[in-house]
């Protein structure tokens, strides 16, 4: 027989865990907002266009654990999943992506766990973004915890492509037509070239510094 008290205790523990992840997001968002304010005051421009965030819903957490072949337990949730808390940052230029990432990682309470650079090394689909998993220290009334947060940093153009690609692939009410993936890849390459052209124009902005190591980004073919 199911113990109602045990269910209640588990539910409360789960809610507390989600609160921890929400707190980690707040901590990181505040850091990005401070970076915005600093740039506005010292460079008269903003390297960040938008900041959005989310905590995975319970069903998404369960599905992710199952896909990994893991038991649906809170221990596995905490120790095996690093993307429960997520933040997406969009930037005007490629250089801003790397500058914002650098400014975040140089802070003492931020620990880099993993970095995947899909800008210098795009996915076969054409997807481009900088993915960074960090741990941030969050202080509560009676404890401190290291909270993992997945951060995706990309340009406005990259985000435009990724958002529409998601719409095309994850809508359930129609089938993907042949050739769509090839067309999406082609469009992604055109957008990448546009980003690089805009980056060159950005060098006309007084005080603009290129942090993108442009030679390591796949060259434009258009």
């Amino acid at each position: 027989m199911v113990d109602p008290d045990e269910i209640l205790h588990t539910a409360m523990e789960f809610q507390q865990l989600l609160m921890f992840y929400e707190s980690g997001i707040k901590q990181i968002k505040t850091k990005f907002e401070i970076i915005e304010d600093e740039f506005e005051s010292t460079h008269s421009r903003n390297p960040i266009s938008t900041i959005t965030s989310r905590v995975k819903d319970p069903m998404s957490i369960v599905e992710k654990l199952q896909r990994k072949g893991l038991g649906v337990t809170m221990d596995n949730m905490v120790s095996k999943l690093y993307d429960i808390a997520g933040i997406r940052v969009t930037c005007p230029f490629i250089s801003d992506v790397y500058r914002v990432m650098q400014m975040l990682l140089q802070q003492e309470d931020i620990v880099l766990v993993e970095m995947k650079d899909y800008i210098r090394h795009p996915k076969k689909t054409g997807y481009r973004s900088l993915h960074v998993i960090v741990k941030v220290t969050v202080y509560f009334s009676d404890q401190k915890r290291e909270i993992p947060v997945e951060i995706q940093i990309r340009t406005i153009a990259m985000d435009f492509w990724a958002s529409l690609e998601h719409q095309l692939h994850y809508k359930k009410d129609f089938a993907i037509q042949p050739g769509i993936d090839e067309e999406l890849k082609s469009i992604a390459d055109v957008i990448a070239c546009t980003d690089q052209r805009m980056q060159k124009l950005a060098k006309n902005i007084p005080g603009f510094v290129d942090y993108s190591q442009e030679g390591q980004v796949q060259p434009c073919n258009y």
Side-chain angles (χ1 to χ4, degrees):
M1 184 176 179
V2 177
D3 184 348
D5 290 336
E6 185 177 346
I7 293 175
L8 180 60
H9 175 75
T10 301
M12 291 175 64
E13 189 178 358
F14 182 76
Q15 286 300 318
Q16 185 181 41
L17 274 176
L18 293 185
M19 182 273 292
F20 289 155
Y21 287 109
E22 287 279 8
S23 299
I25 284 175
K26 288 178 183 177
Q27 194 97 332
I28 298 290
K29 283 186 73 174
T30 299
K31 291 177 179 296
F32 282 131
E33 288 163 0
I34 290 171
I35 290 172
E36 284 186 291
D37 292 342
E38 179 186 355
F39 255 71
E40 286 281 10
S41 63
T42 60
H43 299 283
S44 298
R45 61 177 297 265
N46 196 336
I48 294 175
S49 296
T50 62
I51 305 170
T52 57
S53 63
R54 61 99 182 102
V55 172
K56 275 187 181 294
D57 62 73
M59 281 307 301
S60 295
I61 293 171
V62 169
E63 289 169 0
K64 186 76 176 280
L65 288 170
Q66 290 174 337
R67 284 199 304 272
K68 287 177 169 284
L70 300 169
V72 181
T73 67
M74 275 182 285
D75 284 343
N76 282 339
M77 171 181 160
V78 171
S79 63
K80 303 297 184 182
L81 301 184
Y82 290 108
D83 62 345
I84 293 174
I87 292 179
R88 182 175 299 153
V89 177
T90 63
C91 302
F93 303 107
I94 299 171
S95 180
D96 292 329
V97 171
Y98 292 99
R99 179 56 172 153
V100 166
M101 179 270 295
Q102 182 188 78
M103 293 177 74
L104 178 70
L105 294 183
Q106 69 188 10
Q107 300 189 30
E108 292 182 356
D109 60 341
I110 295 291
V111 176
L112 175 64
V113 176
E114 181 179 87
M115 183 185 300
K116 292 182 180 179
D117 191 340
Y118 297 118
I119 298 175
R120 293 180 182 140
H121 307 285
K123 291 187 177 182
K124 291 180 180 180
T125 60
Y127 176 85
R128 289 167 171 83
S129 186
L130 182 63
H131 288 203
V132 183
I133 296 174
V134 301
K135 285 188 177 180
V136 60
T137 304
V138 181
Y139 291 85
F140 299 96
S141 61
D142 59 348
Q143 61 178 303
K144 69 174 183 179
R145 294 182 70 108
E146 305 296 319
I147 307 297
V149 179
E150 182 192 57
I151 305 166
Q152 298 177 3
I153 313 176
R154 58 180 69 149
T155 65
I156 299 167
M158 293 171 195
D159 190 61
F160 158 77
W161 182 90
S163 298
L164 297 187
E165 188 270 347
H166 182 83
Q167 287 285 319
L168 286 168
H169 276 103
Y170 293 95
K171 285 290 184 182
K172 310 264 187 214
D173 53 352
F174 71 93
I176 293 294
Q177 298 298 312
I180 290 289
D181 289 338
E182 291 79 5
E183 182 70 4
L184 282 168
K185 170 65 166 60
S186 176
I187 293 169
D189 292 341
V190 171
I191 288 173
C193 287
T194 303
D195 255 338
Q196 291 181 42
R197 293 173 67 182
M198 295 299 289
Q199 174 86 358
K200 290 177 181 176
L201 290 176
K203 294 175 182 178
N204 294 300
I205 299 173
F208 183 87
V209 179
D210 187 354
Y211 291 90
S212 65
Q213 296 181 294
E214 194 173 276
Q216 296 185 32
V217 178
Q218 287 191 356
C220 179
N221 297 317
Y222 291 86

